[in-house]
Amino acid sequence: MSLFLHVLQPNELEEILALENRLLKDRIQDEMDRELFSWNARWRREALEHYLPLGWSFCVREDSELLGYFLGQAFLFLDGQTQSLWIEHLQFTNLQSRDTLVELAIKMGKEKHLQKVYFPNETNLQPALQPYKAEPWSPNSLLVRTTKT
């Protein structure tokens, strides 16, 4: 499988919503329950409209098919650190795309000299974060140190 990574652009918003809604339909059968869930989802339209123009969100594709993405932003002066990368949401359709996105976020943190990368504390992400010695930061977030602090 040949994967292609790139910075997400605002014109990809509808494609992301389509992917999320397709995956949500597989998990939640009832249409009304899906609609209610989507109102508070980390990938809701207003969240995408915020994150996509920032330039810290990336996707992984095979050919033209969207396999996964993360929404991120750099934070200054978070948790006593000068610069950190916050990953608000990471979605994937297979384990290779998950691992590729996690590796990209951590590599970007190191290359940009950010002190930490924060990830959502979700069961499906924990195996990918284990080799990076992810630590709990809050009940909903894990952190990976990307510099010696």
Side-chain angles (χ1 to χ4, degrees):
M1 181 187 301
S2 178
L3 300 179
F4 172 69
L5 296 159
H6 75 90
V7 176
L8 277 169
Q9 301 297 313
N11 65 352
E12 295 173 284
L13 185 144
E14 294 300 332
E15 185 180 12
I16 294 168
L17 288 174
L19 171 68
E20 289 289 2
N21 283 310
R22 187 184 87 231
L23 295 173
L24 190 58
K25 193 172 187 179
D26 292 342
R27 289 190 0 240
I28 301 175
Q29 302 304 313
D30 183 70
E31 185 177 348
M32 182 59 75
D33 289 343
R34 280 195 310 270
E35 182 69 23
L36 291 172
F37 178 87
S38 71
W39 291 350
N40 293 316
R42 291 177 179 231
W43 48 265
R44 63 189 179 274
R45 180 176 294 277
E46 56 268 23
L48 294 173
E49 289 170 348
H50 168 76
Y51 282 101
L52 296 184
L54 299 178
W56 289 92
S57 299
F58 285 78
C59 75
V60 60
R61 294 180 179 275
E62 183 178 33
D63 299 319
S64 63
E65 181 185 1
L66 179 62
L67 299 178
Y69 72 96
F70 67 74
L71 301 176
Q73 67 180 318
F75 278 152
L76 300 177
F77 308 109
L78 173 68
D79 194 28
Q81 302 301 304
T82 306
Q83 300 176 94
S84 300
L85 178 60
W86 179 264
I87 305 298
E88 178 68 17
H89 178 63
L90 192 149
Q91 183 61 273
F92 55 92
T93 58
N94 61 48
L95 297 179
Q96 185 179 9
S97 59
R98 176 200 68 187
D99 296 348
T100 299
L101 289 165
V102 165
E103 182 181 341
L104 172 64
I106 293 169
K107 184 178 178 181
M108 193 166 52
K110 290 178 179 181
E111 288 177 356
K112 301 289 185 190
H113 305 288
L114 308 176
Q115 284 90 14
K116 297 177 183 175
V117 179
Y118 295 84
F119 290 90
N121 188 4
E122 297 174 354
T123 306
N124 61 2
L125 284 180
Q126 290 171 358
L129 293 169
Q130 207 167 25
Y132 301 102
K133 299 179 181 145
E135 307 168 30
W137 184 63
S138 74
N140 298 321
S141 300
L142 298 170
L143 71 87
V144 173
R145 297 175 191 277
T146 52
T147 60
K148 294 184 183 209
T149 54

